[in-house]
């Protein structure tokens, strides 16, 4: 079977009929010219799985969105909703940290600055257990509407909060609901970041130029994301596990001939529930049965792709 990539390599974007693949008497497509193999992971991985663990609870504003009806009278605090968020740092992240250790998996934790300042020991524990601390803004405020210097301070404050809590300087960034401004990437480059994840356009990382320097994009996901599927679409844990496994199966098949990355995202108060951690174990053990599957932190993926001469580059 001739794939789209093979077709493009054979014909060129402006190919003519004279160089299109021809069919034999049985109607099967025949390749007439040698095709270079598609790029794959430079470390020999067949498929890389990138897991996010969002550390947001404890940094949310008063009366933040929750499973409770949004019908509080003005001037009153939604006290039960507060306890729903507290679950994220009291139970959720500790439970997920235990399952990552049990499965031998390292993840990237996108940390809201105000959340880690309220729970610095937990943030430090995440790093001490081998996971990446990435930046996720100072709080839950919008940043896409901020002037340049205000946005820069917003990001810098988040960096300092993580450094104060963990001793580690983050190199990756995730904006609130991925909504960065037109200035964000320039600011991130100025502040020494290596990558951002606020992009859904590919199933593999790629490189862009920011201020004439290489900058990595490690794509995020809404398709395999608990806040989208469990909290938003009200999937059962069985439905969530099934969807992630189907995504994995397709990408694993494609990874035979090209570089592929599977992204999965868990949030402290959602992914850290008992039923979801049970689903996490089922999902990851299923993936670990397949040859060539590796689980990597996003900073590790960024390092791989920035050094790879075959990486996709976009303007």
């Amino acid at each position: 079977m001739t794939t789209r990539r093979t077709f493009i390599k054979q014909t060129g974007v402006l190919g003519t009929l004279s160089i299109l693949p021809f069919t034999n008497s049985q109607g099967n497509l025949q390749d007439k010219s040698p095709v270079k193999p598609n790029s794959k992971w430079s470390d020999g991985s067949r498929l890389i799985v990138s897991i996010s663990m969002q550390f947001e609870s404890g940094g949310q504003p008063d009366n933040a969105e929750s499973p409770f009806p949004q019908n509080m009278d003005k001037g009153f605090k939604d006290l039960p909703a507060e306890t729903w968020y507290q679950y994220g740092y009291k139970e959720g992240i500790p439970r997920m940290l235990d399952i990552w250790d049990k499965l031998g998996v390292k993840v990237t934790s996108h940390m809201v600055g105000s959340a880690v300042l309220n729970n610095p020991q937990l943030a430090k524990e995440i790093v001490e257990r081998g996971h990446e601390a990435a930046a996720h803004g100072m709080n839950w405020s919008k940043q896409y509407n901020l002037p340049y210097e205000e946005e820069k301070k917003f990001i810098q404050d988040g960096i300092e909060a993580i450094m104060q809590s963990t001793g580690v300087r983050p190199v990756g960034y995730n904006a609130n609901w991925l909504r960065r401004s037109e200035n964000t990437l320039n600011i991130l480059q100025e502040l020494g970041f290596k990558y951002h994840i606020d992009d859904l356009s590919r199933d593999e990382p790629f490189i862009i130029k920011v201020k004439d320097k290489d900058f990595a994009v490690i794509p995020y996901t809404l398709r395999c994301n608990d806040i989208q599927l469990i909290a938003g679409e009200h999937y059962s844990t069985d439905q969530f596990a099934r969807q992630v496994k189907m995504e994995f199966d397709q990408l694993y098949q494609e990874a035979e001939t090209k570089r592929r990355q599977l992204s999965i995202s868990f949030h402290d108060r959602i992914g850290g529930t008992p039923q979801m951690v049970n689903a996490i174990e089922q999902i990851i053990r299923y993936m670990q049965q397949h040859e060539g599957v590796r689980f990597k932190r996003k900073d590790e993926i960024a390092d791989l792709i920035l050094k790879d001469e075959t990486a996709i580059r976009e303007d």
Side-chain angles (χ1 to χ4, degrees):
M1 180 181 71
T2 300
T3 66
R4 176 176 176 272
R5 288 196 178 190
T6 301
F7 177 82
I8 291 173
K9 287 176 179 290
Q10 289 172 331
T11 64
V13 176
L14 299 177
T16 63
L17 289 175
S18 63
I19 58 172
L20 287 173
F22 69 94
T23 59
N24 61 15
S25 59
Q26 284 76 43
N28 296 320
L29 288 171
Q30 303 295 303
D31 292 337
K32 293 299 292 179
S33 59
V35 177
K36 294 180 180 179
N38 291 311
S39 58
K40 300 180 75 172
W41 290 104
S42 59
D43 69 342
S45 301
R46 172 161 173 164
L47 175 65
I48 286 180
V49 180
S50 168
I51 297 176
S52 298
M53 180 176 69
Q54 309 297 89
F55 189 168
E56 300 172 339
S57 292
Q60 75 279 357
D62 288 344
N63 296 357
E65 184 177 355
S66 76
F68 295 95
Q70 302 298 295
N71 59 359
M72 288 291 296
D73 292 342
K74 290 184 178 181
F76 294 88
K77 196 169 185 178
D78 192 345
L79 297 178
E82 288 290 305
T83 67
W84 184 71
Y85 281 101
Q86 289 168 11
Y87 190 93
Y89 55 81
K90 290 181 177 179
E91 298 279 3
I93 288 178
R95 182 177 286 116
M96 283 193 282
L97 287 175
D98 286 344
I99 197 64
W100 306 140
D101 281 354
K102 182 178 179 180
L103 297 169
V105 168
K106 302 304 179 187
V107 306
T108 293
S109 182
H110 306 279
M111 299 180 174
V112 171
S114 54
V116 299
L117 287 179
N118 285 328
N119 291 283
Q121 286 303 119
L122 183 56
K124 187 175 182 181
E125 182 183 351
I126 291 171
V127 170
E128 288 177 343
R129 291 172 78 162
H131 306 291
E132 178 191 4
H136 197 17
M138 183 57 200
N139 52 49
W140 288 31
S141 300
K142 301 171 185 176
Q143 69 179 81
Y144 61 82
N145 59 353
L146 295 177
Y148 194 100
E149 290 302 324
E150 289 184 27
E151 184 180 7
K152 186 174 182 179
K153 183 180 186 302
F154 176 82
I155 296 171
Q156 182 66 55
D157 287 348
I159 294 171
E160 292 175 1
I162 292 172
M163 291 180 65
Q164 178 181 328
S165 302
T166 69
V168 173
R169 192 201 182 289
V171 298
Y173 194 76
N174 173 209
N176 182 29
W177 272 111
L178 285 70
R179 288 184 171 133
R180 56 185 172 87
S181 77
E182 294 182 2
N183 296 321
T184 304
L185 296 185
N186 287 335
I187 293 171
L188 295 179
Q189 186 74 282
E190 284 181 25
L191 294 176
F193 284 86
K194 289 183 181 179
Y195 74 90
H196 83 105
I197 70 168
D198 301 325
D199 189 291
L200 308 172
S201 67
R202 291 188 180 275
D203 290 316
E204 65 180 278
F206 56 97
I207 297 173
I208 58 176
K209 285 286 187 182
V210 179
K211 291 182 172 288
D212 297 321
K213 296 180 181 178
D214 285 351
F215 195 81
V217 181
I218 314 299
Y220 192 54
T221 178
L222 294 182
R223 298 186 304 274
C224 301
N225 188 323
D226 62 357
I227 202 168
Q228 178 74 11
L229 300 183
I230 299 293
E233 301 294 337
H234 304 295
Y235 275 30
S236 69
T237 51
D238 286 343
Q239 288 174 306
F240 180 87
R242 176 66 175 158
Q243 176 143 327
V244 176
K245 287 179 181 178
M246 291 179 73
E247 182 104 348
F248 170 84
D249 287 343
Q250 179 61 33
L251 290 176
Y252 189 78
Q253 178 182 330
E254 293 177 11
E256 184 175 358
T257 58
K258 56 188 173 183
R259 185 189 297 112
R260 301 280 80 180
Q261 172 193 307
L262 170 65
S263 296
I264 316 174
S265 180
F266 300 103
H267 292 68
D268 43 33
R269 67 271 182 199
I270 304 169
T273 62
Q275 58 191 290
M276 278 298 290
V277 166
N278 185 290
I280 287 171
E281 181 166 5
Q282 292 180 35
I283 290 166
I284 292 179
R285 289 203 183 280
Y286 174 77
M287 294 176 182
Q288 288 175 331
Q289 296 171 8
H290 293 72
E291 184 178 355
V293 175
R294 296 178 183 171
F295 296 80
K296 291 186 181 293
R297 300 167 16 154
K298 288 179 172 59
D299 55 348
E300 296 172 326
I301 297 172
D303 287 339
L304 269 180
I305 208 66
L306 287 168
K307 296 174 183 175
D308 193 334
E309 294 182 356
T310 69
I312 294 174
R313 290 179 172 270
E314 294 189 354
D315 295 331

